[in-house]
Amino acid sequence: MSEITGKLQFEGVIWRFKTGGQWREMPQEFGAWSTVPNCFRQWRDASVFEALMEGLIAEAARRGEVDLSLVSIDSTTARAHRAGPPRRRRDAPGPGRHHRAGGGLPPRKRRPGQRGRGGREEQSGQDAEADPERDERRRIRRRQKLRLKAALLGRSRGGQTSKIHLAADRKCRPLAFVLTAGQAADSPPFIPVLGRIRVRGPVGRPRTRPDAVAGDKAYSSRGSRAHLRKRHIKAVIPEKSDQAANRKKRGSRGGRPASHDADLYKERNTVERLINKLKSWRGIATRYDKTPDSYLTGLHLRASMIWIKDLTRGTP
């Protein structure tokens, strides 16, 4: 691959995530449209964009421009496009009333002696026998749930969504990403996000421990605070009202109130501003990718562009 061809294909990948367009709609200036997604898959499998992001962070650390005095953590959801979730096969019957016309199961039949949702009569031994149609519907639903789980997609108020958990430094730049299903809580991925922070300096081991970590009340859990205390990291997390009430109810056995730096907490807006930067690309704001690896690769690409823009801002 020549340098000019590789540059065009790299710009084609940027065009795809920036506009959210399909690979087939790619302008001809980037070359054959089928070549760009093939190169993207090869780069994705080789973790090229993740290595690019880590290299840019290392370059910023070499210049002394990485500020780990305060790291802010938050999450945001990305709604999956209708082409994003894994589809059922066309010959596979759909569950319940949502079956495809001509290809699904017949409507569910009410058994003799069975009432509606208001109540059911006692079922005889014959009625309690296995219903093949019901078993097939359950099998289809279980298979669909497993596919969504493998694709890191879940149900939330916005439909099928994925949730991005991210960490930002004090200068509104990304440090780490963790992708989960949309209905996942914020507190469990707190420790994995911190574990992905690695800032390589000119010499020595990479720095993985910030001075302070800021988060909203969703991260106010006993496990998160204990993890930060164990690593000697200052917790800038406000305490939930119910946790404070339970602590006061126990009296002296409830322990001391959690320390909270209100002035330092005001700078947590850096991660929220970073989310706005990430979602300025349509391919990041909406998930069009079927596999979570492809979407996470797009996040690493967008983060790399943010670091490149920040590092080249002061250069002539």
Side-chain angles (χ1 to χ4, degrees):
M1 181 187 301
S2 63
E3 182 178 354
I4 298 179
T5 305
K7 180 180 179 181
L8 291 177
Q9 293 171 352
F10 186 83
E11 292 178 352
V13 175
I14 294 177
W15 176 91
R16 191 267 177 184
F17 281 97
K18 190 173 184 178
T19 62
Q22 299 181 0
W23 295 109
R24 292 178 178 270
E25 299 176 353
M26 186 170 298
Q28 297 181 357
E29 60 187 70
F30 301 116
W33 72 267
S34 59
T35 307
V36 180
N38 291 334
C39 290
F40 169 73
R41 297 186 189 98
Q42 295 176 7
W43 293 336
R44 176 200 63 190
D45 297 339
S47 302
V48 171
F49 295 105
E50 184 177 4
L52 175 62
M53 173 182 166
E54 294 178 356
L56 292 170
I57 295 176
E59 175 62 22
R62 187 184 65 83
R63 299 182 184 181
E65 299 180 4
V66 178
D67 190 358
L68 292 182
S69 59
L70 177 66
V71 170
S72 301
I73 294 181
D74 204 353
S75 65
T76 181
T77 56
R79 187 173 182 178
H81 191 261
R82 56 178 298 180
R87 300 178 180 177
R88 293 195 306 267
R89 299 194 311 269
R90 293 190 175 183
D91 56 346
R97 60 180 179 178
H98 301 286
H99 65 279
R100 296 177 181 271
L105 293 172
R108 181 183 303 179
K109 297 180 180 179
R110 189 170 296 176
R111 299 170 183 166
Q114 178 180 347
R115 296 179 181 178
R117 293 187 177 182
R120 295 186 178 181
E121 296 181 354
E122 293 292 336
Q123 297 180 0
S124 61
Q126 183 178 1
D127 296 337
E129 294 180 358
D131 186 358
E133 297 178 0
R134 181 185 59 185
D135 295 340
E136 180 66 16
R137 283 191 292 267
R138 289 180 177 177
R139 186 182 66 85
I140 293 298
R141 283 195 292 266
R142 286 196 299 266
R143 186 174 61 182
Q144 184 68 6
K145 288 182 179 179
L146 291 176
R147 289 181 177 179
L148 292 177
K149 183 178 180 180
L152 295 182
L153 288 170
R155 286 287 181 180
S156 62
R157 292 183 179 180
Q160 292 181 347
T161 57
S162 293
K163 181 172 284 189
I164 308 168
H165 307 266
L166 68 158
D169 69 345
R170 211 162 187 171
K171 296 183 180 180
C172 195
R173 297 171 299 187
L175 296 173
F177 295 102
V178 170
L179 191 65
T180 61
Q183 82 283 0
D186 292 347
S187 184
F190 177 79
I191 297 178
V193 171
L194 284 179
R196 292 181 178 270
I197 298 177
R198 294 178 59 86
V199 179
R200 299 197 311 267
V203 293
R205 294 179 298 178
R207 183 177 177 183
T208 60
R209 186 174 63 87
D211 297 334
V213 173
D216 54 15
K217 291 184 178 180
Y219 300 98
S220 178
S221 64
R222 185 177 301 177
S224 300
R225 295 185 185 276
H227 179 75
L228 295 177
R229 192 182 308 112
K230 181 180 178 181
R231 300 187 61 189
H232 304 284
I233 301 174
K234 182 179 180 180
V236 188
I237 304 174
E239 189 178 16
K240 293 183 179 179
S241 58
D242 57 341
Q243 294 176 354
N246 293 333
R247 175 178 49 79
K248 294 178 181 179
K249 187 185 300 183
R250 298 183 61 185
S252 60
R253 295 179 301 173
R256 298 179 180 179
S259 60
H260 175 60
D261 192 341
D263 294 334
L264 195 59
Y265 183 75
K266 295 178 181 179
E267 300 189 29
R268 196 189 63 86
N269 63 81
T270 53
V271 67
E272 298 175 351
R273 288 155 50 199
L274 174 60
I275 291 174
N276 292 334
K277 288 183 179 181
L278 294 174
K279 289 191 173 183
S280 62
W281 284 16
R282 292 187 61 189
I284 302 300
T286 303
R287 176 175 167 178
Y288 296 95
D289 303 278
K290 294 183 180 297
T291 62
D293 294 338
S294 297
Y295 183 70
L296 189 59
T297 302
L299 284 172
H300 291 145
L301 174 61
R302 179 65 183 117
S304 301
M305 294 298 103
I306 294 176
W307 278 101
I308 289 176
K309 183 178 180 180
D310 190 80
L311 291 175
T312 57
R313 184 174 300 173
T315 58

